[in-house]
Every structure is written in structure tokens, then in C-alpha cells.
Amino acid sequence: MNVLELLKQGINELAEQIGWLLRNKKTDLAFDKEVGTKELEIPTDNFLSKQLKIAGQYFILRVISRVKDGEIIWRFELENIAVGGLIPAGFKLRLLTEYGENFENNEAVSTHAVEKLYVDVILELGEGLIWEIEPIPDDFSREILRF
């Protein structure tokens, strides 16, 4: 699935079938606003989100772009959907290369209950990533997100 195309052109049928939605930072009340962005080839007001059920609770995984010092930073962010809900201790959000390999700073672990877990990465055009969460979400299947 190509993230840049989805952000530019909107969600296609395949992305929608596997649970991804296109959201907007300006209209999503649950979204914390990031520091201002510069004009880019991608719309930085839009982000992808996917609802997940994990251990009987509902969470949202977001893929967000932002600009810092002229570079695009991609944030993978996990948050409990319940108002005031937290991510329990022991949860992991992990990113892997498209070949399933670890890389430096690819994982966030909650050692205690937290509001959000996130991992920031800078990618080259065309690179792919796999996301994983522990405990494993219901109906989980690995997918490669291409940037």
C-alpha cells in the first residue's frame, strides 16, 4: 500500500477494506496539533488511521507526516480510543523494514500506562515499512506500507 498516494488521492477500496481511513488534522478533534509545516509534495494536514482491537480494548494507529528542518518525518502513533484511556504497560509498537528486519530506534515500549506510544522515522522515497503491535491486535495481518 502506497502511503503517499493515499494521502494525495484519498483512500482506495483496498485500503478501506483492510481498515485504513484518511483523516484530517484540522477536523479530527482527537488529534493533537503538531508544530507548523512547510509546503510539501504531500498534504501534511492529512493522515492515515486504523482502528484496532487489542486485548478487548479499542486503539487507533495513526501514520502522520510532519516536516522538521526540511525533512519529512513519519510518525507511527498508537492511542487508546476511550476518553481518558491509556495504553497499558507492556505494549510494544515496532517498525520493521519491508524485509522484516529491525533497525535503530524502531520500537516504543510502555513500561507503565501511557497516553500514546510512537515511533518517528525518516524514510527515502519508495521505502517500505511493516508495523507490529504487541499484544497482537485481533484479525492482524502484516502489511507493507510504502512511502
Side-chain angles (χ1 to χ4, degrees):
M1 184 170 73
N2 189 307
V3 173
L4 291 173
E5 285 180 20
L6 295 175
L7 290 174
K8 287 179 185 178
Q9 299 169 7
I11 293 292
N12 61 36
E13 189 175 328
L14 174 62
E16 194 172 276
Q17 285 177 358
I18 59 174
W20 288 100
L21 299 173
L22 185 63
R23 307 291 295 269
N24 187 283
K25 293 177 190 178
K26 293 178 182 177
T27 59
D28 189 337
L29 298 176
F31 189 82
D32 293 331
K33 293 189 179 196
E34 293 286 343
V35 181
T37 57
K38 299 177 184 177
E39 283 187 37
L40 284 179
E41 297 174 13
I42 59 170
T44 57
D45 283 340
N46 292 337
F47 63 96
L48 295 178
S49 69
K50 184 172 195 163
Q51 183 172 303
L52 305 167
K53 186 176 182 183
I54 306 170
Q57 297 182 60
Y58 288 95
F59 296 85
I60 189 164
L61 176 66
R62 295 183 184 103
V63 180
I64 307 160
S65 64
R66 62 187 175 102
V67 177
K68 185 175 181 181
D69 299 327
E71 292 187 292
I72 300 171
I73 300 171
W74 294 96
R75 172 168 285 187
F76 285 72
E77 177 180 277
L78 182 67
E79 185 175 15
N80 193 314
I81 287 178
V83 175
L86 298 173
I87 296 172
F91 270 50
K92 293 180 184 179
L93 171 60
R94 178 182 310 116
L95 302 178
L96 303 169
T97 68
E98 63 187 290
Y99 305 107
E101 300 167 334
N102 286 306
F103 54 91
E104 191 174 341
N105 300 317
N106 72 319
E107 183 176 271
V109 180
S110 59
T111 56
H112 58 280
V114 295
E115 288 184 22
K116 295 180 184 181
L117 277 182
Y118 65 88
V119 177
D120 289 339
V121 292
I122 298 173
L123 302 166
E124 297 293 324
L125 187 63
E127 274 189 279
L129 286 178
I130 298 169
W131 61 272
E132 294 182 340
I133 296 171
E134 289 180 23
I136 298 171
D138 292 0
D139 303 320
F140 174 77
S141 63
R142 270 190 168 183
E143 56 191 15
I144 297 175
L145 301 179
R146 192 153 312 281
F147 297 82

